[in-house]
Amino acid sequence: MIRTAFAWAARATGQISGTSCGRRPLAGAALLASLLGSHSTLAQTPTVPPTPGLPAAPVAAAVPTGPWTLQQAVNYALEHNLNVRQSDLQTSQQEAQQRLNRAALLPTAGISATQGFNFGTNRDPFTNQFQQLNVRSNNFSATTQLTLFSGFQLRNAIKQGDVEAQATRLDAQKARNDLSLNVASSYLQLLLAQELIRASEARISSTRQQVERSEKLLKAGAVAEGNVLDSRAQLASEESARITAQNQRDLARLSLVQLLNLDPASASRFEVQAPALPNPDAFVATGDGADPNATFEIARQQQPDIKAAELRIESARRGLEIARGAHYPRLTMAAGVQSGFSSVRNQQTRVGDETFTAPIFQVDAAAPGGLRPSPYVFVSSQPKFERLPYKFLDQLADNRGEFIQFSLNVPILNGLQTRVGVQRAQITIQQAELRSEQTKLQLRQTIQQAYADALAAQRRFSASSRQVEALTLALRNAEIRFNNGLLNGTDFNIARNNLTAAESDMIQAKYEFVFRRKVLDFYQGKPLTL
């Protein structure tokens, strides 16, 4: 967005100033566009598609009836821009991942149950006997497992996740900063377009009055008809330039409306408040003595992208500790309880008692055989058992078994995966350090460029102001000579276009200076206000 913030102004000014003077009046406008391009890497926000399945951001908010201030536009954009909301969702996703990292320290537990049907000759899983029966079996188990030691990989993963979560939050803050600068650039772009329109309308009014005077002088025979035709041609050129400026204003308004995520249909009703911007000559050294090195030191401590880059160095170092943890043994503990049921298993069950009686004999020599029955009998009883079906709950209680075990895994050789993983983690640290240095270098260069551009814009504004004063006097003298017939229309239009070019260059230098000052203020921690 900022790459093209004022690029259209050069085209618009070229139309406003005309070419009858034989030169391109505002080469500084093209230079302004190119200089603003140096800031594009700071303020560009990546276009990220919204996450499917998530609620949409509120984009149909009512547009205020009054003009918007810059602060209102920035606040509204931060609340409704989809890219910023996407950054917030990425932060939430990283925080959810960190909860998973913490949960890895907790034991795992689970319950399983199976039911099977076997037909034909099968082995009873509880008696190990083969039977020609149809068997229905159930197995139930509950297990838990806990990692006791894994080379501190789990704890390092938690620490790395904390750092990554902080870096992701800073990325979201950077997206907000980039959006704020984009809004400020578009806001100033719209203000510049409106001021160019006002300048164009003032020139049209002056040119129209000149046409009327020329026509009166023509009727009086004081000037030639060619002077009137030149004035009318100049008026048509000014009106065409105004239309071009109005089109650019509409495009600038639409760009800002889209950046705010407003309904494009409201673009025609969208207005911004035009504050009284101070002249660059009122500032000393572009910011009351601001120094780019001091600004960089402030920004280095405050800017989220710098902090995020430093945090990712720490994250990469934690990744190295995780990779080194693969060299250590891994100790785990598991415990569980299990039971089962088989439909063919029987249970020996006592169904009652069985009684036996036997006569008791006494010794009697006179009796045959020397024994005779006594009046007493011997009575004996013993329990009676039958094999009955084994009940389901009884089997579960009787087949219950518990276990606890420890597992130790000592890595010896795994195809150099651990060693290569450590080397890759070391390279990742170096890459993170280089990215951090590159981010700092880019920030320093951006601040230095903004400072140099502000100085250049301030000098351009001073030079253009003096040029406008001189060309205004020259135009007045040329107008007197033109009205008296001492100057032809072509030379008069050249004098007018020279003044137009100087005025346009002065306006652009003013807005470039304001924008560059806002960039420097932003890096000094000041709010984006006009």
Side-chain angles (χ1 to χ4, degrees):
M1 178 66 70
I2 296 182
R3 183 185 299 275
T4 58
F6 296 95
W8 62 267
R11 300 191 300 268
T13 308
Q15 294 292 332
I16 292 173
S17 61
T19 57
S20 61
C21 58
R23 67 180 182 92
R24 294 185 61 87
L26 282 182
L31 175 61
L32 171 60
S34 63
L35 291 179
L36 287 174
S38 65
H39 188 68
S40 62
T41 56
L42 169 71
Q44 287 177 350
T45 303
T47 303
V48 183
T51 304
L54 293 176
V59 297
V63 180
T65 56
W68 290 56
T69 65
L70 176 59
Q71 189 62 46
Q72 289 175 336
V74 170
N75 293 339
Y76 190 92
L78 293 178
E79 183 179 356
H80 295 81
N81 187 268
L82 295 183
N83 291 337
V84 171
R85 185 168 178 260
Q86 182 68 22
S87 299
D88 294 337
L89 292 178
Q90 291 174 354
T91 301
S92 301
Q93 186 177 22
Q94 181 61 41
E95 292 174 350
Q97 179 62 40
Q98 178 59 5
R99 289 194 291 271
L100 286 180
N101 294 337
R102 295 183 180 275
L105 292 176
L106 302 176
T108 59
I111 299 176
S112 64
T114 62
Q115 176 169 305
F117 297 92
N118 298 323
F119 307 96
T121 302
N122 296 284
R123 182 180 62 85
D124 191 325
F126 298 100
T127 63
N128 288 326
Q129 295 179 353
F130 287 92
Q131 299 180 7
Q132 186 70 24
L133 293 173
N134 297 333
V135 181
R136 179 179 69 87
S137 61
N138 297 90
N139 289 283
F140 304 94
S141 65
T143 59
T144 181
Q145 184 173 348
L146 175 64
T147 300
L148 301 178
F149 181 76
S150 62
F152 305 105
Q153 288 181 317
L154 296 180
R155 295 189 180 275
N156 285 321
I158 292 175
K159 295 178 180 179
Q160 185 186 42
D162 287 336
V163 175
E164 284 292 336
Q166 296 178 28
T168 306
R169 286 192 289 270
L170 291 173
D171 290 339
Q173 182 61 41
K174 181 181 182 300
R176 289 180 169 84
N177 291 346
D178 292 345
L179 178 62
S180 299
L181 287 176
N182 281 330
V183 171
S185 172
S186 299
Y187 193 94
L188 290 174
Q189 178 183 353
L190 182 55
L191 291 180
L192 173 59
Q194 292 177 348
E195 187 160 348
L196 289 176
I197 291 175
R198 288 192 293 269
S200 177
E201 290 176 346
R203 288 191 296 270
I204 289 176
S205 177
S206 175
T207 305
R208 184 176 291 112
Q209 294 176 2
Q210 183 63 41
V211 170
E212 293 175 354
R213 285 194 299 268
S214 297
E215 291 176 346
K216 292 179 181 179
L217 293 174
L218 177 63
K219 292 180 181 179
V223 297
E225 184 180 3
N227 291 350
V228 177
L229 297 178
D230 289 338
S231 298
R232 291 176 180 174
Q234 181 66 23
L235 177 61
S237 177
E238 296 288 355
E239 291 176 346
S240 176
R242 180 182 61 180
I243 293 176
T244 301
Q246 290 174 345
N247 292 337
Q248 299 298 338
R249 176 204 58 191
D250 295 339
L251 292 176
R253 181 188 290 122
L254 178 60
S255 176
L256 181 57
V257 166
Q258 291 176 343
L259 196 60
L260 296 177
N261 202 19
L262 292 172
D263 184 6
S266 63
S268 60
R269 303 187 303 273
F270 183 83
E271 297 294 338
V272 296
Q273 188 178 40
L277 300 178
N279 289 332
D281 291 336
F283 297 91
V284 178
T286 70
D288 303 328
D291 179 70
N293 294 327
T295 303
F296 170 74
E297 291 300 326
I298 296 175
R300 186 176 62 85
Q301 299 175 6
Q302 296 180 353
Q303 288 304 303
D305 51 341
I306 301 296
K307 296 180 180 179
E310 295 174 349
L311 286 174
R312 287 195 164 90
I313 295 177
E314 182 179 351
S315 175
R317 290 171 180 168
R318 290 296 178 184
L320 176 60
E321 296 299 326
I322 294 174
R324 287 174 175 172
H327 285 298
Y328 292 89
R330 186 179 184 89
L331 179 62
T332 59
M333 182 190 71
V337 59
Q338 59 187 9
S339 184
F341 168 80
S342 176
S343 62
V344 299
R345 189 175 182 188
N346 296 324
Q347 183 182 28
Q348 186 175 350
T349 305
R350 181 176 179 176
V351 296
D353 295 329
E354 187 175 5
T355 304
F356 301 93
T357 59
I360 299 176
F361 294 90
Q362 297 179 346
V363 177
D364 188 356
L371 295 175
R372 65 178 180 82
S374 68
Y376 303 99
V377 295
F378 177 79
V379 179
S380 175
S381 65
Q382 61 182 7
K384 183 179 180 181
F385 295 92
E386 292 184 3
R387 301 200 64 83
L388 301 177
Y390 213 147
K391 295 182 180 180
F392 182 81
L393 295 179
D394 293 340
Q395 280 199 48
L396 293 183
D398 296 340
N399 294 335
R400 177 182 173 182
E402 297 88 6
F403 74 92
I404 183 172
Q405 66 181 20
F406 294 88
S407 300
L408 180 64
N409 183 13
V410 180
I412 298 177
L413 183 65
N414 59 354
L416 300 180
Q417 292 184 5
T418 302
R419 179 175 298 181
V420 174
V422 171
Q423 294 175 353
R424 294 177 61 183
Q426 292 173 341
I427 295 174
T428 301
I429 293 177
Q430 297 176 4
Q431 291 175 336
E433 291 174 346
L434 288 177
R435 282 193 293 268
S436 178
E437 292 299 324
Q438 184 178 10
T439 303
K440 294 177 183 178
L441 178 61
Q442 181 179 354
L443 176 62
R444 182 186 294 274
Q445 292 175 348
T446 300
I447 292 175
Q448 291 174 344
Q449 187 68 50
Y451 185 83
D453 291 343
L455 278 177
Q458 187 180 41
R459 293 165 182 166
R460 275 181 52 209
F461 179 84
S462 298
S464 298
S465 299
R466 293 190 297 269
Q467 187 180 17
V468 167
E469 293 177 1
L471 291 177
T472 300
L473 295 177
L475 180 62
R476 291 176 182 174
N477 182 53
E479 185 176 6
I480 294 174
R481 295 172 61 194
F482 177 76
N483 292 334
N484 293 327
L486 302 177
L487 186 70
N488 58 41
T490 301
D491 293 336
F492 177 73
N493 289 336
I494 290 176
R496 181 187 296 275
N497 290 333
N498 288 338
L499 177 60
T500 298
E503 290 176 343
S504 299
D505 193 38
M506 182 181 65
I507 293 173
Q508 292 183 72
K510 176 181 178 180
Y511 276 88
E512 181 189 4
F513 176 81
V514 170
F515 177 73
R516 292 304 184 183
R517 269 193 52 85
K518 290 306 170 183
V519 171
L520 293 173
D521 290 344
F522 170 79
Y523 284 126
Q524 293 175 359
K526 300 178 182 179
L528 286 174
T529 56
L530 293 177

